[in-house]
Amino acid sequence: MGEQRDFDGTHVAQKKDTQLLAADSTSSQRLSLQNPKERDPADTEGRDSVCERGRERESQISELGRVASAVLVLLLLLLEPGMLSSPPPSGLLEKLFQYIDLHQDEFVQTLKEWVAIESVSVQPMPRLRQEIFRMTALAADKLQHLGARVDSVDLGSQQMPDGQSLPIPPIILAELGNDPKKPTVCFYGHLDVQPAQKDDGWLTDPYVLTEVDGKLCGRGTTDNKGPVLAWINAVSAFRALEQNLPVNIKFILEGMEEAGSIALEELVQREKDRFFSSVDYIVISDNLWMSQRKPALTYGTRGNCYFTVEVKCRDQDFHSGTFGGILNEPMADLVALLGSLVDSSGHILIPGIYDQMAPLAEEEKTLYENIDLDLEEYRKSSQVEKFLFDTKEELLIHLWRYPSLSIHGIEGAFDEPGIKTVIPGRVIGKFSIRLVPHMNLSVVENQVTSHLEVVFSKRNSSNKMTVSMVVGLHPWTANINDAQYLAAKRAIKTVFGVDPDMIQDGSTIPIAKLFQAITQKSVMMLPLGAVDDGEHSQNEKINRWNYIQGSKLFAAFFLELSKQHS
């Protein structure tokens, strides 16, 4: 087993040794208090026999001291590097962890510099696009200073619906080491973020990293700039200590993940037999734990089908006083359509939608039983009055292994403060279905379209309805007995002192399936952030503890992966 650490970073073995020595000391103190020389002076009877007993007691104490000394020497010998059965060398790990602890303020400062860049990708604005370019250049420079060979791949430009053309930020491909005897692990991360404004409900400026009670608050701290830097921090610790990396390391960093990873798939396909040819393992750290304190490993995510349903009467809006009551209103049709998709218990009402999902095995149910999740704490931290399910197992099964349907919004409707007596002439409803293994994208698309057509026809509306599936992403699953999952489990036990929760993610992270399908390499998701980090939300944060311990985790993972691979 690897070295165990308590949450404060102290070796469990060291604590046990300290407790043993303290116990020896206490025992000696108790024995000295019973020394016959400290008896009542008035007691003169049996003086010789008492003295004899005292000499015997002193002899016993002396013998105990010799035994204790021998045990101490043995313990010290056992603690010498190479004498323990721990896979990673404790001496090197100690130096790496100490370096990371001593330089944590520098690591936080670097994160602050990265957060300050407003690298928003989902809003097609020239200023924001230039911010992403600035962010990728900063990351490339950081990797070059570590000694990596860096290639910033030009991806051309993107034509926007309004006719403007915007340059696509380059994707960074970087390499550190090419020793054929070592395994090669590739880390994927993204440098772009979701939009954020102070008046959206942020307590601090989202682009000024602010530490509050150990929480590093700012846009991109947990999604995904913090985890990217944690990986870089781990590499920098080896470099600073002039230690050879136990694995070859590659990076693929993009700046358009939040906008659908534009041009990434084409690049991965093109580099399949070049950059990825020597890669053995791919690691993604772009999701969260199920807990605030207990780490996790993720082995599956749901897919996603995103739909729009448009109901149109005409392009212009109507005045309700002039047209109300004499035509089929598009908004009324749309509300009826959206209301037909899912019931109040979360059950999807589209016929046949559950027929394709993979059956839930008994072994899988056992995994859910072992997840460390306090349902009440989870409810409170989520600020939810009541979940649809009363047990941990039911909640996790419906979050990870059952499809779900969510309604996201209506485009074209009046949604501003105040009063406006308008009848929208054209509205677009938006909803998505999270997919689970064995669900087919085209089958789901046909089921949704057929269902909405049936519902709409029953309304006898003169309006026109159009259904479109604008995004279709497959679910992803991994083999938890793969070498890098085993290495990650051991590294987590070394750094955090506990075995990780083995979890799935109810969200969709397309890159995992993309890498798996194209490169045919082992893909693993190794999250660093706590469940309450609030990615995509106001007041996004990563705990300093997660950020620094996560840097240690990656360093330990390099060592463990080297051993597992051999």
Side-chain angles (χ1 to χ4, degrees):
M1 294 179 65
E3 294 176 311
Q4 296 184 20
R5 287 178 171 267
D6 282 354
F7 285 120
D8 63 1
T10 306
H11 279 292
V12 173
Q14 287 179 339
K15 285 192 171 182
K16 288 179 179 177
D17 295 342
T18 303
Q19 290 164 359
L20 282 170
L21 293 174
D24 289 341
S25 173
T26 303
S27 299
S28 298
Q29 289 173 3
R30 284 199 298 266
L31 287 170
S32 67
L33 288 174
Q34 296 169 358
N35 194 310
K37 291 182 180 179
E38 298 180 9
R39 65 189 182 279
D40 187 346
D43 181 14
T44 55
E45 295 182 6
R47 181 185 301 268
D48 293 340
S49 62
V50 171
C51 289
E52 183 62 30
R53 286 197 301 272
R55 284 190 291 271
E56 291 176 3
R57 187 74 53 87
E58 288 175 347
S59 176
Q60 291 171 355
I61 293 171
S62 177
E63 182 63 25
L64 279 172
R66 285 193 294 273
V67 171
S69 298
V71 169
L72 180 58
V73 170
L74 180 60
L75 283 171
L76 290 172
L77 285 172
L78 287 173
L79 286 172
E80 285 295 314
M83 295 294 289
L84 290 174
S85 58
S86 325
S90 60
L92 176 55
L93 267 182
E94 274 301 305
K95 292 177 182 177
L96 291 166
F97 291 175
Q98 287 172 6
Y99 178 87
I100 291 171
D101 279 332
L102 289 172
H103 292 80
Q104 61 177 284
D105 288 342
E106 296 173 27
F107 296 150
V108 170
Q109 177 61 30
T110 303
L111 180 58
K112 183 175 184 177
E113 294 167 4
W114 283 30
V115 167
I117 299 177
E118 195 177 348
S119 51
V120 175
S121 59
V122 297
Q123 295 175 334
M125 299 167 57
R127 180 185 68 83
L128 295 176
R129 194 56 62 90
Q130 286 304 312
E131 285 289 274
I132 304 175
F133 272 82
R134 191 158 70 95
M135 184 66 249
T136 55
L138 187 63
D141 183 66
K142 186 76 173 175
L143 292 172
Q144 285 173 337
H145 275 83
L146 286 177
R149 184 169 66 83
V150 179
D151 183 15
S152 293
V153 183
D154 184 357
L155 300 172
S157 60
Q158 175 188 16
Q159 289 297 127
M160 306 307 297
D162 62 1
Q164 71 171 323
S165 177
L166 291 175
I168 301 173
I171 290 178
I172 295 173
L173 299 179
E175 301 180 51
L176 267 168
N178 58 1
D179 187 340
K181 296 178 182 178
K182 296 178 181 178
T184 298
V185 56
C186 178
F187 178 82
Y188 163 83
H190 67 88
L191 305 168
D192 57 320
V193 298
Q194 284 284 323
Q197 293 182 345
K198 179 74 159 57
D199 55 13
D200 287 340
W202 282 75
L203 299 177
T204 61
D205 186 330
Y207 297 106
V208 176
L209 186 73
T210 307
E211 184 165 10
V212 181
D213 297 329
K215 298 177 175 64
L216 303 173
C217 303
R219 178 57 90 213
T221 49
T222 198
D223 183 23
N224 184 231
K225 294 177 180 180
V228 171
L229 276 173
W231 191 274
I232 292 174
N233 296 341
V235 174
S236 71
F238 279 90
R239 284 287 192 249
L241 296 173
E242 299 182 345
Q243 294 289 333
N244 290 327
L245 285 165
V247 295
N248 302 314
I249 294 177
K250 293 191 175 188
F251 290 85
I252 176 167
L253 304 177
E254 67 159 321
M256 294 295 287
E257 190 270 348
E258 301 291 1
S261 293
I262 297 168
L264 178 65
E265 184 173 354
E266 293 82 355
L267 176 70
V268 174
Q269 189 72 56
R270 193 165 66 241
E271 294 291 338
K272 173 185 175 182
D273 298 320
R274 290 185 295 189
F275 181 79
F276 291 101
S277 62
S278 61
V279 170
D280 299 297
Y281 309 101
I282 298 173
V283 176
I284 302 168
S285 185
D286 193 21
N287 62 317
L288 304 176
W289 300 347
M290 279 297 297
S291 163
Q292 292 186 24
R293 295 290 289 183
K294 187 178 180 186
L297 272 173
T298 305
Y299 63 94
T301 63
R302 291 193 291 187
N304 192 14
C305 289
Y306 199 103
F307 292 90
T308 63
V309 51
E310 178 189 77
V311 180
K312 180 179 178 180
C313 178
R314 69 177 192 182
D315 289 327
Q316 294 80 29
D317 293 341
F318 299 91
H319 190 291
S320 64
T322 306
F323 292 94
I326 65 170
L327 52 74
N328 295 117
E329 297 188 9
M331 181 68 88
D333 284 343
L334 181 60
V335 169
L337 291 169
L338 296 177
S340 74
L341 296 172
V342 63
D343 66 17
S344 60
S345 67
H347 184 79
I348 302 174
L349 300 174
I350 299 167
I353 200 74
Y354 292 98
D355 294 348
Q356 305 172 68
M357 60 174 284
L360 191 66
E362 287 300 320
E363 313 87 83
E364 192 174 353
K365 292 180 182 178
T366 304
L367 286 176
Y368 299 130
E369 293 171 2
N370 295 331
I371 297 294
D372 182 19
L373 175 66
D374 185 321
L375 204 57
E376 183 62 14
E377 178 186 306
Y378 185 47
R379 183 192 65 78
K380 288 180 179 178
S381 67
S382 303
Q383 299 179 3
V384 173
E385 184 68 27
K386 187 180 186 300
F387 286 122
L388 293 176
F389 307 98
D390 297 324
T391 68
K392 172 184 68 176
E393 290 77 16
E394 284 181 305
L395 184 141
L396 293 177
I397 286 172
H398 283 84
L399 185 62
W400 296 342
R401 282 290 276 105
Y402 283 4
S404 64
L405 189 149
S406 301
I407 298 171
H408 304 298
I410 297 176
E411 184 180 327
F414 174 63
D415 64 347
E416 299 173 5
I419 297 172
K420 188 176 182 182
T421 57
V422 65
I423 298 174
R426 171 179 171 268
V427 287
I428 302 173
K430 302 177 182 183
F431 65 94
S432 69
I433 300 175
R434 296 287 178 175
L435 307 181
V436 294
H438 296 184
M439 293 181 74
N440 181 276
L441 295 176
S442 60
V443 172
V444 171
E445 182 180 14
N446 290 334
Q447 289 171 332
V448 169
T449 302
S450 298
H451 169 74
L452 290 175
E453 286 175 346
V454 169
V455 173
F456 189 67
S457 67
K458 291 179 179 178
R459 290 186 61 79
N460 296 315
S461 174
S462 59
N463 295 319
K464 298 290 191 330
M465 182 194 75
T466 305
V467 180
S468 302
M469 188 177 81
V470 294
V471 173
L473 301 167
H474 295 276
W476 164 78
T477 55
N479 176 14
I480 61 176
N481 295 314
D482 183 83
Q484 70 168 336
Y485 272 91
L486 298 177
K489 286 180 186 178
R490 292 174 67 90
I492 287 171
K493 188 65 176 287
T494 297
V495 175
F496 296 98
V498 294
D499 292 316
D501 281 333
M502 300 302 296
I503 68 173
Q504 298 188 59
D505 195 315
S507 61
T508 304
I509 303 178
I511 191 65
K513 184 68 176 180
L514 185 150
F515 279 132
Q516 187 183 64
I518 295 178
T519 70
Q520 297 296 303
K521 307 292 185 178
S522 167
V523 179
M524 178 181 70
M525 296 190 68
L526 179 55
L528 297 187
V531 68
D532 61 345
D533 276 1
E535 81 279 50
H536 288 205
S537 185
Q538 296 90 339
N539 305 307
E540 177 185 347
K541 60 86 178 172
I542 190 170
N543 299 324
R544 176 187 279 256
W545 183 76
N546 289 72
Y547 179 48
I548 299 305
Q549 295 300 102
S551 301
K552 296 177 186 178
L553 172 59
F554 287 146
F557 172 67
F558 298 159
L559 291 163
E560 287 291 355
L561 186 60
S562 175
K563 183 174 179 62
Q564 286 289 332
H565 188 79
S566 61

